[in-house]
Amino acid sequence: MKCAVDIESRDVEEMYINIDPIQAGGRLTADAMKAAISFGDGYSVCDNCRSPFRLDYIQKPPIAQFHADLAAWLNMDAARVVPGARRGFQAVASTYVGKGDPVIVTALAHYTEFMAVEEAGGIPLEIPKDTANHITPDAAAEKIEAVIREFSRTPPLLFIDHVDYQFGNVHDVAGIAKVAHQYDIPVLVNGAYTVGIMPVDGKMLGADFVVGSGHKSMAAPAPSGVLATTEEHAGRVFRTTQAKGDVTGRTFGLKEVEMMGCTLMGVTVVGMMASFPHVRERVQHWETEVAHSQAVVDALLSIEGTKVLSDYPRQHTLTRIDTRESFDAVAQQHKKRGYFLSGELKKRGITGVIPGSTKVWKFNTFGLTEKQIRHVGESVVGIARENGLNIL
Amino acid sequence: MSKRAVDAVFQALFILSDLRFLLRETAPQHDLDEAQRERAATSLEKVKRQIAILEEEMVR
């Protein structure tokens, strides 16, 4: 079925259980779908924009209140919606990083953090991960010392992923922030895999900036996200324009430079807002989500030869699994080669595993029902059994 | 007629969104339990009412 000329309708979420690692937390709520129907037009939230003309001042729909609620929910002092977490990184890097500045990232940092630093003219330098795939406060301290020795200056910013995208491991952000603050380095917490799916308290983490992704973890349309900060930093990162036209003499009021004036002007912000009550509620059930994740991991681990590369027991719904000695061994002999696994999963109504992957792959169980979790677990075991693998 | 018809279009789309969500919750077998079937039936009744309004307002 086509939804427009040459565009097939997307019914992946209706037809399958989707365990794609990046898509799970961004699935819309029913309310966000309704908001998308209502606010699909380009500048749809601007009907009631009144002086001073800025997105975060709009009262109807209640975007101003949403901004205040977002900040409070993250236990931060100020928040802005942004077009994706990456634009949050960019706003902060553009404000704090100068040409040639060393900036601390990690060996598990998302590529967009590197790009934000690069665009600002900085030099990204990674805190190495340990053998358990963790970024530790000790490693952060060692890296900061080494960077100061090499550059003879203190890095203006440190990025740390609350949960990394490679393993879905939870890192000691509070410990790392404590170290960074001993050197007066502001800390940006990348909460793309936490804000909206598990409880996040910015102050408790010691964050100077918390960045979240609407489309990855807040059940919102893309591109959307949030940048929250403290009173100390808000004036700087959310500074207003001083620009003046030399011919016209025009000035631009309270527009914020890093936000390029306004950010999410339609379906994105209203979708975030519509999902927000559900998101606020669902983070309270994080333990159930983790238990679901654990159940699927345990089903996989019951297949002889399978290993989990993420922390075990699981503390998150994103997991990296190693099936080189189980499903990949089957793939070597199978007529469909590596495609057999995604094919077999699809036959059972499960999608989201990259076709061809049988070695090391990731999946995310966030948001699935108990019944769906059971189906995924039984399916992987069933596929293994049908292909001659031992079940422990 | 216009406001009533517009409201009915939105209402119908919103109710259909609830049904869409139900299909997501029950994928891939869509084997609905009793409570889910009841939800579906209620939604379908509501959609029919909105369609009836649209027929009254736009077709007759």
Side-chain angles (χ1 to χ4, degrees):
Chain A
M1 184 175 63
K2 288 187 169 28
C3 59
V5 179
D6 294 337
I7 304 174
E8 281 291 330
S9 295
R10 179 177 185 268
D11 58 7
V12 169
E13 309 294 347
E14 288 75 19
M15 295 302 295
Y16 300 96
I17 296 171
N18 184 4
I19 55 171
D20 186 295
I22 65 171
Q23 292 181 333
R27 274 191 287 268
L28 298 190
T29 59
D31 283 347
M33 289 175 193
K34 295 171 193 175
I37 288 166
S38 188
F39 279 84
D41 296 312
Y43 283 109
S44 58
V45 302
C46 306
D47 297 336
N48 296 294
C49 184
R50 304 284 180 265
S51 179
F53 302 104
R54 211 169 78 190
L55 182 79
D56 56 309
Y57 289 159
I58 293 174
Q59 304 282 346
K60 193 180 167 192
I63 297 173
Q65 186 59 49
F66 178 56
H67 279 76
D69 291 347
L70 272 177
W73 176 62
L74 293 169
N75 195 17
M76 298 295 275
D77 300 322
R80 298 289 185 271
V81 291
V82 289
R86 62 194 68 195
R87 297 297 181 183
F89 307 151
Q90 189 181 35
V92 177
S94 166
T95 302
Y96 287 79
V97 178
K99 199 169 167 50
D101 279 347
V103 178
I104 308 291
V105 294
T106 78
L108 296 172
H110 194 255
Y111 77 94
T112 53
E113 296 170 34
F114 283 78
M115 292 190 156
V117 172
E118 183 178 5
E119 193 191 42
I123 301 163
L125 298 152
E126 298 169 294
I127 303 169
K129 64 185 174 73
D130 67 11
T131 52
N133 300 309
H134 279 259
I135 306 298
T136 65
D138 284 348
E142 276 176 38
K143 189 69 184 190
I144 291 167
E145 285 289 343
V147 168
I148 291 172
R149 273 198 305 277
E150 186 183 345
F151 288 81
S152 302
R153 58 183 149 152
T154 304
L157 188 62
L158 180 147
F159 289 79
I160 175 70
D161 294 31
H162 192 183
V163 163
D164 70 86
Y165 75 99
Q166 295 192 38
F167 295 93
N169 288 346
V170 183
H171 299 280
D172 181 5
V173 170
I176 291 162
K178 193 173 171 192
V179 168
H181 288 157
Q182 285 165 0
Y183 296 86
D184 287 329
I185 303 172
V187 173
L188 184 154
V189 177
N190 175 3
Y193 277 103
T194 55
V195 173
I197 64 163
M198 62 185 266
V200 173
D201 182 323
K203 296 260 169 71
M204 201 176 278
L205 291 173
D208 296 283
F209 306 95
V210 174
V211 175
S213 169
H215 54 264
K216 191 170 271 166
S217 295
M218 297 176 76
S224 60
V226 57
L227 165 59
T229 188
T230 59
E231 204 174 340
E232 181 191 350
H233 294 282
R236 196 167 161 196
V237 73
F238 299 141
R239 67 197 176 280
T240 52
T241 178
Q242 303 298 307
K244 185 175 183 179
D246 68 324
V247 173
T248 61
R250 287 177 302 155
T251 56
F252 306 97
L254 289 175
K255 299 291 190 194
E256 292 171 339
V257 177
E258 294 298 346
M259 299 297 111
M260 293 297 287
C262 298
T263 54
L264 311 183
M265 292 164 271
V267 67
T268 42
V269 69
V270 178
M272 272 182 102
M273 289 166 63
S275 281
F276 189 55
H278 305 281
V279 163
R280 230 179 348 198
E281 211 272 333
R282 76 185 190 182
V283 301
Q284 305 303 322
H285 306 292
W286 179 237
E287 283 178 16
T288 303
E289 294 290 346
V290 172
H292 283 171
S293 168
Q294 184 69 36
V296 173
V297 170
D298 284 341
L300 281 158
L301 291 178
S302 75
I303 303 164
E304 192 174 18
T306 300
K307 299 182 190 83
V308 60
L309 300 178
S310 307
D311 283 343
Y312 186 89
R314 295 301 301 124
Q315 294 179 353
H316 197 271
T317 57
L318 170 68
T319 298
R320 188 178 175 107
I321 202 91
D322 179 347
T323 53
R324 283 176 290 192
E325 291 174 27
S326 53
F327 288 129
D328 195 55
V330 174
Q332 302 308 318
Q333 310 299 325
H334 202 283
K335 64 179 179 190
K336 290 184 181 166
R337 309 293 286 181
Y339 291 89
F340 97 92
L341 179 58
S342 57
E344 286 296 323
L345 285 168
K346 202 151 193 178
K347 269 191 221 163
R348 290 162 170 82
I350 300 163
T351 190
V353 174
I354 296 173
S357 298
T358 46
K359 292 183 167 70
V360 174
W361 45 283
K362 295 188 290 185
F363 65 94
N364 196 335
T365 57
F366 186 79
L368 301 185
T369 64
E370 194 84 36
K371 195 172 173 183
Q372 289 171 324
I373 287 291
R374 218 166 31 244
H375 182 73
V376 174
E378 287 167 2
S379 294
V380 291
V381 170
I383 294 167
R385 199 173 268 134
E386 281 175 22
N387 286 277
L389 295 173
N390 288 332
I391 306 302
L392 302 171
Chain B
M1 83 106 168
S2 56
K3 177 65 177 158
R4 191 166 181 247
V6 169
D7 283 353
V9 166
F10 276 110
Q11 278 298 338
L13 290 169
F14 294 163
I15 297 160
L16 289 171
S17 296
D18 288 329
L19 283 171
R20 183 181 177 193
F21 195 76
L22 185 56
L23 289 171
R24 288 179 166 213
E25 276 181 335
T26 55
Q29 292 112 330
H30 302 127
D31 182 14
L32 276 60
D33 63 26
E34 200 175 322
Q36 288 164 333
R37 276 200 301 275
E38 204 169 299
R39 261 168 68 195
T42 306
S43 293
L44 288 167
E45 275 311 308
K46 286 181 180 172
V47 172
K48 283 179 195 165
R49 281 203 291 275
Q50 301 308 317
I51 300 293
I53 291 170
L54 288 169
E55 282 175 343
E56 269 176 36
E57 297 290 331
M58 300 181 79
V59 182
R60 284 175 202 166

